[in-house]
């Protein structure tokens, strides 16, 4: 049974009114991807580009530009392969987060990717490259791009999860080179939230989830927000959740690993969010060497 | 498919009490078996998938130190390992569920690429602790002895359902022609979970290492690194 320890104070039970939204099924087909390609400035008429697909994705490419739509989530990835994360071996991008955020906001607005009043800056991350001899001499490092993540807001509540964000990449010339967007369209309100369970009850749910596991989870942070899943997930409802960021720690070892558990926040929630751990068959014992 | 790549994976979710005790993990198999199976779906050769008690430190330890790496991790072109990782004094270690022969293997006993290994993805924590050049080359300069690229994390990584798709996405990318270092850094970085990714390429010269970092794909399998004189890395943070 995993032991749970708290590092710091738990957040208060939220009071802000929240709802459970039904989500529209994503529209992932040739018409949709060509329309989106045109919106992003690609040549998108019926004769243009190359359309390919697999069970997870639909892809449209024209020259260096590649647009991918994920069937389960409707998430999109748009990349200029000639410029995205490409190192020209000399440039060194120097840009503050605030300036990068303005670039991202402008790009998102220009391409109609998300309403400006339904997102906020989350984080900027820089792609750095470096080299050195095997002995550590002649070391050098540069920044070749910046990625800006804008978090979705629903009812002014931040959206947590691998989805619910738009990420825009900029190169050393501060030109957009790619974007990722997981932003499922909401439909009607499925259910109005009654009341919230406590954050402690979400932690108790996590403890139950990991009951078959040995070890200690130190809870480092609990965040409240709507939860949106990632590229490959079909999601029917958008609902409030507690996200628990924990650290697997051991009193007799310095070895650690982070863990993340997401639990519903409303007392009248729909289902559960983190899937139950599945018991998997053991491998047959390996023959001795 | 221009070249066929031999793939092997190892993972540990369940540790035992006793000498090898660590916190249990839950999703290591999802990540590496996703990689393994998708590589197979793309026509590459699935050589071994050793999990829990079947994953052994000797599979990574070079025979100079009594290990059996040349028959396992270094007998495939692409090896992915996901378990607990740790890094102290510029030495990275992988931790295993039971002692075969030891509970862990340290990078000082690895000679990656001495035989066939071209790419190693180590999904445990602490492939590097920080991005200081001195630290990166001190950790990986010695063990990289023919391997082209090592992929890993800066500091701790998440064991999480929410990153369980990483392996399959990474496999799909690189089998679709994406660069290995670029795809790893892109897919393994996560704004939300806080995972910070790094890929380190070896080269006989500065240009060679940079070229591999920026351009190496699976079809570079047989373009050997004759001597690791330079390292070139990329990371997002």
């Amino acid at each position: 049974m995993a032991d749970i320890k708290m590092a710091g104070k738990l957040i208060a039970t939220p009071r802000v009114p929240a709802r459970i939204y039904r989500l529209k099924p994503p529209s992932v087909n040739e018409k949709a991807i060509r329309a989106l390609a045109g919106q992003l400035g690609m040549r998108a008429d019926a004769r243009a580009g190359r359309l390919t697909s697999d069970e997870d994705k639909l892809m449209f490419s024209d020259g260096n530009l590649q647009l991918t739509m994920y069937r389960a989530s409707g998430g999109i990835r748009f990349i200029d392969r000639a410029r995205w994360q490409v190192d020209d071996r000399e440039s060194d991008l120097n840009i503050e987060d605030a300036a990068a955020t303005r670039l991202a906001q402008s790009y998102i607005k220009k391409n109609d990717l998300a309403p400006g009043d339904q997102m906020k800056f989350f984080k900027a991350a820089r792609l750095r490259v470096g080299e050195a001899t095997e002995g550590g001499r002649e070391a050098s490092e540069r920044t070749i791009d910046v990625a800006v993540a804008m978090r979705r807001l629903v009812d002014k509540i931040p959206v947590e999860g691998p989805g619910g964000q738009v990420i825009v990449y900029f190169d050393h010339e501060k030109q957009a080179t790619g974007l990722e967007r997981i932003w499922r369209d909401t439909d009607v309100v499925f259910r109005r939230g009654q009341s919230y369970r406590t954050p402690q009850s979400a932690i108790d749910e996590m403890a139950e989830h990991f009951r078959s596991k040995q070890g200690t989870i130190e809870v480092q942070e609990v965040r409240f927000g709507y939860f949106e899943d990632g590229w490959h997930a079909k999601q029917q409802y958008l609902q409030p959740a507690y996200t628990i960021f924990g650290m697997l720690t051991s009193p007799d070892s310095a070895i650690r690993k982070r863990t993340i558990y997401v639990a519903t926040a409303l007392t009248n929630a729909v289902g559960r969010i983190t899937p139950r751990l599945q018991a998997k068959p053991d491998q047959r014992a390996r023959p001795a060497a | 498919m221009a070249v066929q790549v031999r793939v092997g994976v190892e993972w540990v979710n369940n540790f035992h009490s006793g000498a090898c005790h660590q916190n249990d993990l839950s999703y290591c198999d999802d990540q590496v078996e996703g990689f393994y199976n998708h590589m197979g779906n793309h026509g590459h050769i699935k050589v071994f998938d050793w999990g829990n008690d079947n994953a052994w430190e000797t599979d990574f330890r070079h025979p100079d130190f009594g290990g059996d790496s040349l028959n396992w991790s270094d007998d495939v072109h692409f090896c992915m390992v996901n378990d607990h990782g740790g890094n102290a004094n510029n030495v990275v270690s992988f931790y295993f569920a039971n002692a075969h022969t030891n509970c862990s293997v340290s990078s000082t006993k690895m000679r990656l690429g001495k035989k066939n290994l071209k790419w190693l993805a180590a999904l445990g924590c602490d492939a590097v602790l920080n991005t200081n050049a001195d630290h990166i080359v001190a950790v990986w300069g010695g063990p990289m002895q023919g391997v082209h690229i090592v992929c890993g994390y800066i500091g701790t990584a998440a064991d999480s359902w929410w990153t369980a798709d990483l392996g399959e996405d990474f496999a799909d990318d690189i089998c679709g022609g994406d660069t290995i270092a670029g795809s790893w850094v892109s897919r393994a970085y996560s704004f939300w979970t806080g995972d910070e990714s790094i890929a380190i390429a070896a080269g006989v010269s500065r240009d060679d290492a940079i070229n591999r970092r920026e351009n190496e794909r699976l079809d570079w399998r047989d373009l050997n690194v004759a001597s690791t004189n330079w390292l070139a890395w990329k990371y997002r943070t």
Side-chain angles (χ1 to χ4, degrees), chain A residues 215-216 232 249 258 280 286, chain B residues 23 29 54 156 169 193 195:
Chain A
T216 302
H232 298 287
T249 62
R258 286 180 287 108
K280 298 173 185 174
R286 178 177 172 181
Chain B
N23 279 288
D29 55 335
N54 286 340
T156 57
D169 286 337
T193 67
D195 288 342

Side-chain angles (χ1 to χ4, degrees), chain A residues 5 7 218-222 244-247 249 256 258:
Chain A
K5 289 184 177 176
E218 185 180 273
V219 175
Q220 299 192 316
E221 185 182 13
V222 179
I244 302 164
F245 293 87
M247 184 71 78
T249 62
R256 307 187 303 165
R258 286 180 287 108

Side-chain angles (χ1 to χ4, degrees), chain B residues 135-150:
Chain B
H135 175 59
I136 293 170
V137 298
V139 174
W140 290 105
M144 293 179 75
Q145 298 202 4
V147 70
H148 299 185
I149 295 173
V150 169

Side-chain angles (χ1 to χ4, degrees), chain A residues 39-282:
Chain A
Q39 182 183 326
L40 293 168
M42 296 176 74
R43 293 187 308 141
D45 58 83
R47 291 183 183 176
R50 178 168 171 261
L51 201 62
T52 56
S53 69
D54 61 28
E55 62 180 314
D56 296 329
K57 308 179 287 288
L58 186 62
M59 289 154 283
F60 179 76
S61 54
D62 186 27
N64 294 320
L65 302 178
Q66 185 179 65
L67 175 62
T68 303
M69 293 184 84
Y70 287 78
R71 297 185 190 282
S73 61
I76 60 171
R77 199 174 197 223
F78 177 54
I79 289 166
D80 180 346
R81 292 210 165 274
R83 296 189 299 128
W84 181 62
Q85 303 195 136
V86 168
D87 179 21
D88 68 0
R89 305 194 181 188
E90 58 183 20
S91 298
D92 191 2
L93 173 64
N94 183 7
I95 186 169
E96 299 290 328
D97 284 3
T101 304
R102 287 193 293 274
L103 287 176
Q105 288 169 324
S106 172
Y107 181 84
I108 290 168
K109 182 178 180 182
K110 178 185 164 195
N111 290 283
D112 197 21
L113 293 167
D117 61 350
Q118 292 177 30
M119 62 182 186
K120 70 171 186 178
F121 171 75
F122 180 55
K123 192 174 177 184
R126 287 154 181 83
L127 183 60
R128 304 266 297 162
V129 293
E131 307 88 33
T133 68
E134 183 268 342
R137 297 181 305 279
E138 302 179 58
S140 62
E141 270 212 10
R142 293 172 291 111
T143 299
I144 64 171
D145 92 357
V146 61
V148 181
M150 303 297 294
R151 266 281 163 210
R152 183 179 186 177
L153 301 171
V154 173
D155 301 333
K156 299 183 180 174
I157 298 170
V159 176
E160 294 283 341
Q165 62 184 356
V166 183
I167 300 166
V168 189
Y169 296 82
F170 297 96
D171 65 9
H172 63 278
E173 295 177 325
K174 300 174 186 171
Q175 298 297 309
T177 61
L179 80 92
E180 294 171 345
R181 175 186 185 270
I182 307 178
W183 191 295
R184 294 167 176 84
D185 291 335
T186 53
D187 199 343
V188 297
V189 173
F190 172 73
R191 189 181 286 170
R192 295 196 177 276
Q194 288 179 343
S195 58
Y196 289 102
R197 60 195 291 209
T198 63
Q200 182 59 52
S201 77
I203 292 171
D204 294 343
E205 179 186 311
M206 178 180 74
E208 173 64 16
H209 178 81
F210 289 117
R211 71 183 183 283
S212 65
K213 297 292 181 179
Q214 301 294 319
T216 302
I217 300 174
E218 185 180 273
V219 175
Q220 299 192 316
E221 185 182 13
V222 179
R223 294 207 298 247
F224 167 74
Y226 282 95
F227 177 81
E228 188 167 352
D229 211 328
W231 297 113
H232 298 287
K234 290 183 178 173
Q235 185 176 354
Q236 286 184 283
Y237 301 99
L238 186 74
Q239 62 180 320
Y242 296 114
T243 302
I244 302 164
F245 293 87
M247 184 71 78
L248 295 161
T249 62
S250 177
D252 54 353
S253 170
I255 304 306
R256 307 187 303 165
K257 197 152 185 166
R258 286 180 287 108
T259 187
I260 297 152
Y261 186 84
V262 184
T264 58
L266 288 169
T267 54
N268 60 338
V270 181
R272 60 184 290 135
I273 295 179
T274 304
R276 291 184 196 283
L277 279 178
Q278 294 178 344
K280 298 173 185 174
D282 290 336

Side-chain angles (χ1 to χ4, degrees), chain B residues 30 76 80 126 187 221:
Chain B
D30 295 298
V76 294
M80 180 177 276
D126 297 343
R187 289 291 185 182
R221 184 192 69 184

Side-chain angles (χ1 to χ4, degrees), chain B residues 197-208:
Chain B
S197 48
I198 185 167
I200 304 160
V204 293
S205 64
R206 181 174 184 269
D207 282 350
D208 182 32

